[in-house]
Amino acid sequence: VARRSLGRSIPPLYMRLAPSAATVAWLLRFARHCGKARYRRGCEALANLSVEAPGRLADLRSNGVSVDITGRGMLHVFAEVNDARDALKEASAVARDGLAGPDRLMDRGQLLALEPALGDRVRAGFLYPEEQCVDPRQFTAALVATVERAGATIHPGAPVTGFTVERGRVSAVHRGSQRDAVERVIICAGVWSGRLAAQLGARTSLIAGRGYSLDIALPSPPQLGLHLSDVHLGLSPTPTGVRIAAAMELSGPGQRPHTARRLKAIVRCGDGYVKDWPTYDPVFADTGWSGMRPLTADGLPVIGPLPELANAYVNAGHGMWGITLSLPSGAAIAELVLSGHAPNVLAPFTPARFST
Ligand SMILES: Cc1cc2nc3c(=O)[nH]c(=O)nc-3n(C[C@H](O)[C@H](O)[C@H](O)COP(=O)(O)OP(=O)(O)OC[C@H]3O[C@@H](n4cnc5c(N)ncnc54)[C@H](O)[C@@H]3O)c2cc1C
């Protein structure tokens, strides 16, 4: 994607990184991980972690946690048959046991039979049958309610500003002048985790990969999740249309978003892939939003113990998969913290890989 973005008028990947030694180091590490073999190993590691996601979501729902599934199955669609064929080959190469991947290339007629809302440009595609779409706001609210019911206290608007470290352990977390004594600390502050971990002497290689999102109304909303693979747009069904998620803007967490400009490009990209697709309206910028995906240079989350400390951990860097991986990552880090042993599935994500 990085290579193909160069020179495109509407690229899926934008660079807005301030020039610095840290930026150069991040980009070099990123470039080293762009090869096919490392990419596939990374996909396998992510697939191994995500395999538990549907089961854990089903458990939450059966325990009364209210999370609606708005689309079952994700169609990857293409304007060119050859592109779809190549992408299917790649998808099959990284398919893992326990995760149902796409099994066949479908032509336009077969795709329309599954999803009548597809537009004229779509010629071929394939289905990930087990993908599910949720509303991220509802999902997050449900998690908050669940942990509060279990006895946790959340302090919104009270950021952690520092730590007290004594004899190789974090003994207190600072919130301004307040000191909270702690037995264990897990840093899970998204892209801001890098700054917090650095205060504890650990490297995480985290930068922001800003993404943009917009809900649009459609007269006949699709029933399946859609990935418009040529233009890298994800569409989740909503009751009245779709939620679009797109763009990867490499930047620092402090940088201002380019909301109107990016949304305009994003809406143009979707033209022809879904029936009755709208043209861009400046009011879209009032409801569109952007958020920061925490990205590591090797594309994998950083989950595990912080080097040199007996009771500090990190769980961050989930990039484009933080919703999907939230439940399996949470379960794996809970196992590590409670038992002292990291489950095998966490091996590729160890923070120690950034120590050198
Ligand atoms: C447009 C868009 C579309 C996406 N689509 C998908 C998708 O389809 N599927 C998917 O799986 N993922 C998706 N993602 C990615 C997903 O949203 C992220 O991976 C996920 O939010 C990362 O979760 P996190 O908890 O690590 O970080 P965040 O969600 O960024 O949360 C970090 C939290 O830490 C808090 N914090 C920061 N600093 C401190 C501090 N000092 N002290 C205390 N708290 C602090 C922040 O306020 C924030 O609440 C998408 C992201 C975007 C932007």
Side-chain angles (χ1 to χ4, degrees):
V1 173
R3 249 192 336 262
R4 275 183 272 134
S5 289
L6 297 173
R8 274 171 66 163
S9 60
I10 306 180
L13 179 73
Y14 302 85
M15 296 269 193
R16 292 181 65 205
L17 290 167
S20 70
T23 298
V24 173
W26 193 95
L27 287 172
L28 286 175
R29 196 185 271 261
F30 173 66
R32 274 209 310 279
H33 285 86
C34 285
K36 222 167 211 174
R38 288 189 183 195
Y39 168 74
R40 285 194 179 156
R41 276 205 302 278
C43 288
E44 277 180 21
L46 291 172
N48 286 338
L49 186 60
S50 68
V51 85
E52 279 190 14
R56 293 205 174 270
L57 179 60
D59 285 351
L60 265 193
R61 282 160 50 88
S62 63
N63 284 324
V65 178
S66 155
V67 182
D68 299 327
I69 295 174
T70 60
R72 287 178 192 276
M74 171 81 71
L75 267 186
H76 286 228
V77 297
F78 299 77
E80 300 290 338
V81 178
N82 282 343
D83 291 343
R85 192 170 287 126
D86 290 349
L88 178 61
K89 220 157 80 192
E90 188 58 41
S92 311
V94 296
R96 298 296 295 161
D97 292 347
L99 266 188
D103 60 353
R104 67 192 168 107
L105 192 67
M106 284 184 266
D107 63 21
R108 178 173 171 76
Q110 291 165 319
L111 290 170
L112 277 173
L114 272 182
E115 181 49 81
L118 292 174
D120 293 341
R121 289 195 75 170
V122 175
R123 289 280 164 272
F126 47 82
L127 176 72
Y128 279 88
E130 286 184 10
E131 288 281 333
Q132 299 175 350
C133 300
V134 297
D135 176 340
R137 292 185 195 93
Q138 189 204 35
F139 180 67
T140 310
L143 290 183
V144 167
T146 306
V147 297
E148 285 184 336
R149 255 202 316 274
T153 305
I154 294 177
H155 300 281
V160 171
T161 50
F163 306 92
T164 304
V165 177
E166 295 172 304
R167 291 184 293 283
R169 299 179 69 81
V170 179
S171 58
V173 162
H174 307 177
R175 290 188 284 133
S177 57
Q178 171 135 355
R179 302 285 181 269
D180 300 316
V182 292
E183 280 179 31
R184 301 175 185 104
V185 172
I186 304 174
I187 297 176
C188 43
V191 70
W192 299 274
S193 304
R195 230 165 30 204
L196 292 171
Q199 292 191 46
L200 293 173
R203 293 189 194 165
T204 51
S205 175
L206 280 165
I207 64 162
R210 191 181 284 279
Y212 292 81
S213 183
L214 171 69
D215 283 24
I216 57 169
L218 292 170
S220 314
Q223 300 301 305
L224 293 169
L226 296 178
H227 186 258
L228 315 185
S229 305
D230 305 319
V231 288
H232 299 277
L233 251 61
L235 308 182
S236 309
T238 65
T240 53
V242 288
R243 176 172 311 107
I244 310 174
M248 177 64 84
E249 185 181 280
L250 302 186
S251 58
Q255 279 175 304
R256 280 185 37 221
H258 284 170
T259 310
R261 197 190 314 171
R262 296 281 184 264
L263 291 178
K264 197 170 179 178
I266 286 166
V267 172
R268 264 175 57 200
C269 278
D271 193 33
Y273 287 95
V274 174
K275 275 186 189 143
D276 304 308
W277 192 255
T279 50
Y280 181 75
D281 183 324
V283 301
F284 289 170
D286 298 340
T287 51
W289 58 273
S290 74
M292 283 175 286
R293 310 180 185 99
L295 284 189
T296 60
D298 63 7
L300 298 179
V302 52
I303 313 173
L306 293 189
E308 316 293 341
L309 291 166
N311 65 339
Y313 307 83
V314 63
N315 181 15
H318 294 74
M320 295 169 60
W321 307 111
I323 303 284
T324 307
L325 297 175
S326 57
L327 301 178
S329 300
I333 195 124
E335 185 181 335
L336 164 63
V337 170
L338 295 176
S339 73
H341 300 293
N344 288 342
V345 72
L346 287 187
F349 310 123
T350 174
R353 72 192 194 274
F354 296 122
S355 294
T356 50

